[in-house]
Amino acid sequence: PETMTTRFFPAYPWDKSSLKSMPVDLQQFEKLDAYALKVNVKNSVEELVKALLKQARTDLEKVRAIWMWICHHIEYDVVGYHNKSQLSSKPIDVLQTGKSICEGYAGLFEQMCSIAGIQCMKLSGYSKGYGYKMGQTFTGDSDHAWNAVYLDGRWHLLDSTWGSGAVDDSFTKFTFRYNEFYFLTHPALFINNHFPDNSNWQLLKPTLTLKDFENNMLHNSNFYMLGLLTAHPETAVIQTVNGKASVSVDCRSATLFTFKLKGTDEHGLMTLKKHGMKLDIYPQKTGSHKLQVFAKPSKASEEVYNCVLEYVVECKSVDKAMRFPKDLHQPVGPSWFTERQGFLRPSQPDPIIHTNDGRCSVTFTLGKDISVLASLHSDNSSLTEDMRRRHIMQIHRGNQIELKIHLPHAGNFVLKIYAKKKSDPGNYDYIFNYLITCLNTEVKWPAFPQSYSKWAEDYEILEPLSGLLPANRNVQFKLKMHGIAKVLVQAENAYPLTQSRGYWEGTCNTSGCREVFVMVHENANHSFYSHVLKYEVETQ
C-alpha cells in the first residue's frame, strides 16, 4: 500500500527503547484480555468478532482482543503440517477445528481484522523457527506467515502462531504457551527471526539483505523478555583466535548467567558484570562446538535458567595452558553478586590471579557478622581437606580480611571462598571462586602453621609464616596478640616471648624436636597454657 512509503520507519539496529513498536500498557489490557479468553463462539467468524468487540473501543483494543483470542484458542497442527494436502487454511475451518499452521493463523487474523474494520495484511517470508540450523541459508518458497496491522497511522507487526505456544523438538507435540513478545514487536527485533518476501514489510530503514538475515545472531524472545539488550559477536559462528573465543552480553539490570559448551561449563571463564557478562571460551578439542548461554533475573528464586543465545564455536587450535581445574565454578571472580553476599571492595577485581613466586593475596571489606572459610583446589594435587585450608591464611584488621596464599606447587588452582553469618550455627555456604595460575615450576611453599580454637580472629603471625621450620636453627618469632598475660614457644625447651608495642617477640631453637607449639596464658593467675599454633620441624 502507498501509505507505507510516506510513513516513518524505525531505524536498524534496535535503539533499545522498547520491545514494541508503539506504547502499550499491558495492565490496561488485563480486563479486556480476560474477557477475550472467555469468548466461546465457533459458528462463524463474524459472530466471533462481534462478541470480542463488545469490550473493545479503540482500534488497538480491537486488535488486542482478536490477538488474545487466537493465541489461546488455535493450536498448531503438527499432524497437518506433515500432511499439507489434507489441510484447509480457510478462516472458518481454522475456527471450527481449532487448529492450523501459520498460514491459517495469519489468514484468520486478517479476516477478523477486516470484519472489525482494521487494515491488516497477511505477510509471508522466511523464519528462524522450528528446524532452523545456525548459519543456514534460505532458498526456495517462504516457510512462514504473519501479519501487519495499521494502527495510529503506521504499520505494526505481529505473529500469532508464535504468540500461541511452541512445538517440541521432534515436532510431534504443540504446547500452548502465550508469548507477549510477538504482539506489535519492534521491527528492529522482529527482523531477527522474520524475513518478509517483500523487504518493505521489514518496516525498517535501512532494510536488511537476506545475507544479513542469515548471518545475524538469532535472539529468541527470552533474550529480550529478560531485559537483555545486545550480544557480541553478532554473528552465529565464532572462530577461535589462538584457542580462545569471547562472548559478551549487555543487559538492563542484574542478571545471572550460565553457559554450556558441548554440554559442559568446564572450558570457559565467565564473569558477571553490573550490566551483563563476559565469557572467554577455551575449547580443549578442535572442531565445531555448540555454545549455549542461559540467563535468569537475579530476583528469580526458582532455579530455571532460560536459553538466550546459541553460537557455533569453530576451534582450529587448542590452548592447553588454559585447561581449567575441574573444581572451578562459574561465574569466576567477584561481582555485584558477591557484593550482595557481603564481600566488598576486592583488591583483585579480575577472575584470574597470576603469581610468579607462588604467593598472592586478596583483600576484602567484609559486611557485618560474616565468617569466612577459604580452600585451595587443583587437579594434580593430593592436598587433604585440612591442607587445602592451611595454604591460605586469614588476617583480619577491623572489617577488612586478607587471604594470604602460598601455593604448594606450580599450576592452576581454584581459590574457593565460603561464608556464613557468625550468628548462624549452621554450615558455610559457597560464595565464589578465583582462578590462581603459577607457571614457575620452582615454586614449593609449605603450608602455614596450624592454628587452634584459642587463636583469635584478629591475631596475626608476622613470622615465621612457614608451618615448616628448619632443623637446628634459631628461629625468630613475632606475633600480634592482645589480652594475653604470657606467651611460650615450646620446642625441646620452652622459650618465653616478650611483649613490646602489641607484638610478642623472641627466638626459639629447633634442635632435638619434631614439633614446635606456641602456647599462651590468658591470665596471669592461670596455671595452665592453651595451645594456639603448631609448627612442624624439617627432618634432617
Side-chain angles (χ1 to χ4, degrees), residues 295-335:
K296 73 169 186 182
S298 67
K299 295 185 249 330
S301 49
E302 65 282 1
E303 276 304 293
V304 183
Y305 280 87
N306 280 303
C307 183
V308 289
L309 285 174
E310 279 194 17
Y311 288 98
V312 171
V313 177
E314 294 193 342
C315 176
K316 292 189 271 315
S317 67
V318 170
D319 183 350
K320 285 281 186 239
M322 293 311 270
R323 206 190 164 129
F324 301 125
K326 282 195 294 291
D327 278 309
L328 189 67
H329 272 284
Q330 308 293 341
V332 187
S335 65

Side-chain angles (χ1 to χ4, degrees), residues 153-219:
R154 279 174 49 206
W155 286 98
H156 302 269
L157 302 166
L158 41 78
D159 182 342
S160 57
T161 311
W162 288 8
S164 65
V167 176
D168 66 343
D169 288 341
S170 58
F171 213 81
T172 50
K173 188 166 152 291
F174 170 82
T175 310
F176 274 112
R177 190 165 58 234
Y178 176 69
N179 194 337
E180 178 62 48
F181 183 74
Y182 292 107
F183 179 69
L184 310 185
T185 317
H186 192 299
L189 300 180
F190 203 76
I191 190 64
N192 192 254
N193 46 20
H194 293 76
F195 190 82
D197 293 335
N198 172 346
S199 64
N200 284 332
W201 285 112
Q202 293 180 21
L203 304 183
L204 291 174
K205 208 158 202 72
T207 52
L208 272 72
T209 64
L210 181 59
K211 196 97 208 98
D212 296 330
F213 177 72
E214 289 169 346
N215 292 339
N216 276 355
M217 193 55 217
L218 171 62
H219 295 322

Side-chain angles (χ1 to χ4, degrees), residues 284-524:
Q284 293 299 303
K285 285 200 176 85
T286 56
S288 284
H289 309 302
K290 178 158 129 180
L291 169 63
Q292 292 169 298
V293 177
F294 305 85
K296 73 169 186 182
S298 67
K299 295 185 249 330
S301 49
E302 65 282 1
E303 276 304 293
V304 183
Y305 280 87
N306 280 303
C307 183
V308 289
L309 285 174
E310 279 194 17
Y311 288 98
V312 171
V313 177
E314 294 193 342
C315 176
K316 292 189 271 315
S317 67
V318 170
D319 183 350
K320 285 281 186 239
M322 293 311 270
R323 206 190 164 129
F324 301 125
K326 282 195 294 291
D327 278 309
L328 189 67
H329 272 284
Q330 308 293 341
V332 187
S335 65
W336 57 265
F337 181 75
T338 52
E339 241 171 60
R340 277 189 197 176
Q341 317 288 322
F343 288 78
L344 311 168
R345 292 191 273 287
S347 61
Q348 300 275 5
D350 293 329
I352 307 186
I353 300 171
H354 299 277
T355 162
N356 189 37
D357 70 356
R359 294 182 298 185
C360 57
S361 106
V362 51
T363 315
F364 302 94
T365 302
L366 279 185
K368 280 193 196 51
D369 184 37
I370 294 177
S371 174
V372 176
L373 192 71
S375 64
L376 204 57
H377 302 254
S378 119
D379 284 350
N380 47 3
S381 248
S382 46
L383 289 179
T384 60
E385 182 81 21
D386 174 51
M387 290 311 265
R388 282 180 183 154
R389 295 196 196 144
R390 296 246 327 263
H391 278 271
I392 304 165
M393 186 164 68
Q394 292 191 22
I395 303 163
H396 292 258
R397 304 181 188 93
N399 61 355
Q400 281 223 320
I401 180 175
E402 178 186 359
L403 300 176
K404 248 193 210 311
I405 297 129
H406 285 184
L407 299 179
H409 51 76
N412 286 343
F413 290 84
V414 181
L415 169 63
K416 288 195 181 186
I417 298 173
Y418 302 81
K420 73 179 184 73
K421 282 202 154 61
K422 284 180 183 157
S423 47
D424 282 0
N427 292 333
Y428 284 84
D429 289 327
Y430 168 78
I431 307 292
F432 70 118
N433 55 190
Y434 280 99
L435 178 66
I436 301 177
T437 66
C438 176
L439 297 170
N440 179 354
T441 50
E442 311 284 292
V443 161
K444 190 173 191 274
W445 291 100
F448 292 106
Q450 190 169 350
S451 58
Y452 297 100
S453 58
K454 291 280 188 204
W455 178 262
E457 191 172 78
D458 50 359
Y459 290 0
E460 189 176 337
I461 305 172
L462 285 95
E463 55 180 348
L465 283 178
S466 165
L468 189 61
L469 303 176
N472 306 323
R473 290 273 174 79
N474 284 333
V475 176
Q476 191 70 34
F477 276 75
K478 184 175 183 180
L479 308 170
K480 187 178 175 184
M481 299 187 280
H482 53 80
I484 281 168
K486 275 189 192 165
V487 183
L488 275 188
V489 177
Q490 178 69 56
E492 193 173 18
N493 303 315
Y495 301 85
L497 301 184
T498 53
Q499 187 178 21
S500 76
R501 293 203 293 274
Y503 294 104
W504 291 86
E505 305 186 61
T507 356
C508 115
N509 189 287
T510 59
S511 41
C513 66
R514 303 289 308 276
E515 295 175 325
V516 171
F517 291 93
V518 178
M519 308 185 330
V520 300
H521 256 331
E522 293 176 56
N523 184 321

Side-chain angles (χ1 to χ4, degrees), residues 53-347:
L53 296 192
K54 282 200 177 108
Q55 297 286 318
R57 297 184 320 282
T58 65
D59 281 358
L60 173 59
E61 286 174 358
K62 291 173 186 175
V63 169
R64 178 71 179 190
I66 293 168
W67 158 267
M68 270 332 244
W69 193 91
I70 290 181
C71 286
H72 290 85
H73 291 86
I74 306 298
E75 63 174 296
Y76 195 87
D77 188 350
V78 281
V79 179
Y81 173 83
H82 293 294
N83 187 3
K84 295 204 180 65
S85 60
Q86 305 301 305
L87 194 67
S88 162
S89 291
K90 283 207 197 89
I92 185 61
D93 296 334
V94 173
L95 176 60
Q96 286 173 349
T97 57
K99 49 173 67 166
S100 183
I101 59 170
C102 56
E103 196 61 36
Y105 279 87
L108 179 59
F109 204 102
E110 183 184 31
Q111 184 167 15
M112 287 173 76
C113 282
S114 157
I115 294 166
I118 289 159
Q119 274 196 77
C120 177
M121 294 285 289
K122 187 173 90 179
L123 306 176
S124 56
Y126 294 130
S127 71
K128 294 182 180 179
Y130 172 78
Y132 167 70
K133 297 271 185 295
M134 265 187 300
Q136 74 170 60
T137 55
F138 290 88
T139 51
D141 292 340
S142 57
D143 60 24
H144 191 48
W146 57 93
N147 298 94
V149 290
Y150 195 73
L151 295 168
D152 287 356
R154 279 174 49 206
W155 286 98
H156 302 269
L157 302 166
L158 41 78
D159 182 342
S160 57
T161 311
W162 288 8
S164 65
V167 176
D168 66 343
D169 288 341
S170 58
F171 213 81
T172 50
K173 188 166 152 291
F174 170 82
T175 310
F176 274 112
R177 190 165 58 234
Y178 176 69
N179 194 337
E180 178 62 48
F181 183 74
Y182 292 107
F183 179 69
L184 310 185
T185 317
H186 192 299
L189 300 180
F190 203 76
I191 190 64
N192 192 254
N193 46 20
H194 293 76
F195 190 82
D197 293 335
N198 172 346
S199 64
N200 284 332
W201 285 112
Q202 293 180 21
L203 304 183
L204 291 174
K205 208 158 202 72
T207 52
L208 272 72
T209 64
L210 181 59
K211 196 97 208 98
D212 296 330
F213 177 72
E214 289 169 346
N215 292 339
N216 276 355
M217 193 55 217
L218 171 62
H219 295 322
N220 58 22
S221 58
N222 284 331
F223 183 91
Y224 297 108
M225 297 301 257
L226 281 165
L228 308 188
L229 299 170
T230 54
H232 294 275
E234 285 166 346
T235 51
V237 180
I238 315 174
Q239 316 280 347
T240 58
V241 177
N242 301 328
K244 169 182 165 182
S246 296
V247 168
S248 65
V249 177
D250 296 321
C251 57
R252 282 187 205 281
S253 56
T255 306
L256 293 168
F257 292 90
T258 59
F259 72 92
K260 288 207 172 345
L261 181 74
K262 274 199 136 163
T264 135
D265 68 359
E266 285 168 29
H267 307 302
L269 199 70
M270 187 182 80
T271 49
L272 293 179
K273 305 276 183 231
K274 194 127 219 94
H275 294 293
M277 72 90 169
K278 184 172 186 332
L279 170 61
D280 291 331
I281 292 282
Y282 301 89
Q284 293 299 303
K285 285 200 176 85
T286 56
S288 284
H289 309 302
K290 178 158 129 180
L291 169 63
Q292 292 169 298
V293 177
F294 305 85
K296 73 169 186 182
S298 67
K299 295 185 249 330
S301 49
E302 65 282 1
E303 276 304 293
V304 183
Y305 280 87
N306 280 303
C307 183
V308 289
L309 285 174
E310 279 194 17
Y311 288 98
V312 171
V313 177
E314 294 193 342
C315 176
K316 292 189 271 315
S317 67
V318 170
D319 183 350
K320 285 281 186 239
M322 293 311 270
R323 206 190 164 129
F324 301 125
K326 282 195 294 291
D327 278 309
L328 189 67
H329 272 284
Q330 308 293 341
V332 187
S335 65
W336 57 265
F337 181 75
T338 52
E339 241 171 60
R340 277 189 197 176
Q341 317 288 322
F343 288 78
L344 311 168
R345 292 191 273 287
S347 61

